[in-house]
Amino acid sequence: MEITKVKMPQNKYSIKCPYEMTPEGITIHNTANDASAMSEISYMIGNNNKTSFHIAIDNERIVQGIEFNRNAWHAGDGKGKGNMKTIGIEICYSKTGGERFNQAEKLTAEYVAYLLKQYGWGIDKVYKHQDWNNKNCPHRTLDLGWQRFINMVQEYLKGTTEINNNVKNDGSDIEMKTYQNGSTSENVYSDTACTAKIGSLNPRESCDCFGVFNNRAMVRYKVDGSNNYKIGFCKWTGGVR
């Protein structure tokens, strides 16, 4: 399993994860979106909404944005057990579904089993968002059958399907830093392979940097002429300081 950690800046704690937490379970969500795990975590960190979650999982990667010793606002129950005592996991690609979602759900089942074993918990510690506030979430997982998902987790727990315990912690755990662009414009891409341009930084423009991933700086920058922000990756990392 490949786990990428994107460290939540401490100046966002008051919005995203204000309370210390000792987890007592896991809550499963569906994103109702078709973005990758990295995109979901990047957007969650980058905005100022009081909505947050610990983990996003797509068909390839597990991405963590909040440490498990902090709460997150994901269960819709205020300061109830869902928000204050459980690890919030979002399964990606649930809007359209299909093979990408199926693979994301499978990877989630494997990771949930891994966490259950790490904490010494049983399957009864796995909850659905619906358990906390009756929201129809995880919507696609519920449509396909909640017990079916629980059975997938149990297959990993029982050893019927082997858990990949060779966990690879990828990415950067550094605090948010400043990214200072050079003397020319710098393209910003949606992926670390730099295949899809989403914008650019002006010469000498400064912005937030959440870490370096696959030798690319993940930056949050202001869109020209607006109060909106985007998050993406830059090829050059020399300006991170």
Side-chain angles (χ1 to χ4, degrees), residues 10-23:
Q10 287 195 3
N11 65 357
K12 286 291 188 82
Y13 276 20
S14 62
I15 300 172
K16 299 295 184 178
C17 52
Y19 299 103
E20 292 184 359
M21 180 180 84
T22 300

Side-chain angles (χ1 to χ4, degrees), residues 180-198:
Q180 176 71 57
N181 192 26
S183 60
T184 58
S185 294
E186 175 81 10
N187 289 336
V188 182
Y189 301 88
S190 64
D191 59 326
T192 56
C194 298
T195 60
K197 180 182 173 182
I198 59 172

Side-chain angles (χ1 to χ4, degrees), residues 4 8 72 75 87 112 125 132 134 136-137 153 159-160 214 217:
T4 298
M8 175 68 67
I87 297 166
V112 167
K125 297 297 185 180
W132 306 118
N134 290 321
N136 185 34
C137 178
V153 177
T160 307
N214 296 331

Side-chain angles (χ1 to χ4, degrees), residues 31-40 57-58 91-94 100:
T31 61
N33 201 356
D34 280 336
S36 69
M38 180 63 82
S39 294
E40 294 287 357
I57 301 178
D58 61 24
I91 307 176
C92 298
Y93 300 131
S94 67
R100 287 192 307 179

Side-chain angles (χ1 to χ4, degrees), residues 33-36 57-60 91-108 140:
N33 201 356
D34 280 336
S36 69
I57 301 178
D58 61 24
N59 57 323
E60 296 179 344
I91 307 176
C92 298
Y93 300 131
S94 67
K95 182 177 181 179
T96 300
E99 187 58 26
R100 287 192 307 179
F101 173 77
N102 294 340
Q103 291 301 314
E105 198 181 49
K106 181 179 178 183
L107 182 55
T108 301
R140 190 168 294 278

Side-chain angles (χ1 to χ4, degrees), residues 25-230:
I26 300 164
T27 298
I28 303 299
H29 305 261
N30 285 173
T31 61
N33 201 356
D34 280 336
S36 69
M38 180 63 82
S39 294
E40 294 287 357
I41 290 290
S42 298
Y43 179 76
M44 184 271 291
I45 290 176
N47 66 52
N48 288 320
N49 301 327
K50 289 186 177 180
T51 302
S52 54
F53 45 90
H54 297 88
I55 296 281
I57 301 178
D58 61 24
N59 57 323
E60 296 179 344
R61 180 177 297 187
I62 300 158
V63 184
Q64 182 172 355
I66 297 176
E67 296 291 339
F68 296 157
N69 64 352
R70 309 293 306 184
N71 85 300
W73 304 120
H74 59 94
D77 65 342
K79 292 184 180 179
K81 182 177 178 179
N83 282 332
M84 302 301 290
K85 292 292 183 180
T86 69
I87 297 166
I89 296 180
E90 292 276 359
I91 307 176
C92 298
Y93 300 131
S94 67
K95 182 177 181 179
T96 300
E99 187 58 26
R100 287 192 307 179
F101 173 77
N102 294 340
Q103 291 301 314
E105 198 181 49
K106 181 179 178 183
L107 182 55
T108 301
E110 181 180 7
Y111 182 63
V112 167
Y114 170 81
L115 288 179
L116 292 177
K117 288 193 172 186
Q118 291 292 307
Y119 281 100
W121 295 336
I123 196 69
D124 61 309
K125 297 297 185 180
V126 181
Y127 304 95
K128 49 190 181 294
H129 185 177
Q130 188 181 61
D131 292 331
W132 306 118
N133 72 343
N134 290 321
K135 183 176 181 179
N136 185 34
C137 178
H139 69 102
R140 190 168 294 278
T141 298
L142 290 173
D143 289 345
L144 293 171
W146 176 249
Q147 188 58 48
R148 171 199 56 87
F149 176 76
I150 291 297
N151 291 342
M152 290 169 59
V153 177
Q154 287 180 314
E155 287 180 3
Y156 285 106
L157 283 177
K158 294 175 182 177
T160 307
T161 305
E162 185 176 355
I163 297 175
N164 178 7
N165 286 307
N166 184 23
V167 175
K168 177 184 177 184
N169 285 299
D170 184 27
S172 170
D173 277 340
I174 64 172
E175 296 285 352
M176 183 179 69
K177 294 186 176 182
T178 299
Y179 182 99
Q180 176 71 57
N181 192 26
S183 60
T184 58
S185 294
E186 175 81 10
N187 289 336
V188 182
Y189 301 88
S190 64
D191 59 326
T192 56
C194 298
T195 60
K197 180 182 173 182
I198 59 172
S200 62
L201 300 176
N202 296 322
R204 306 301 181 188
E205 181 177 353
S206 295
C207 56
D208 298 330
C209 178
F210 292 120
V212 177
F213 302 87
N214 296 331
N215 204 32
R216 310 297 189 202
M218 187 172 78
V219 298
R220 183 179 77 125
Y221 65 101
K222 196 170 186 178
V223 179
D224 286 344
S226 75
N227 289 318
N228 297 321
Y229 288 85
K230 284 186 176 181

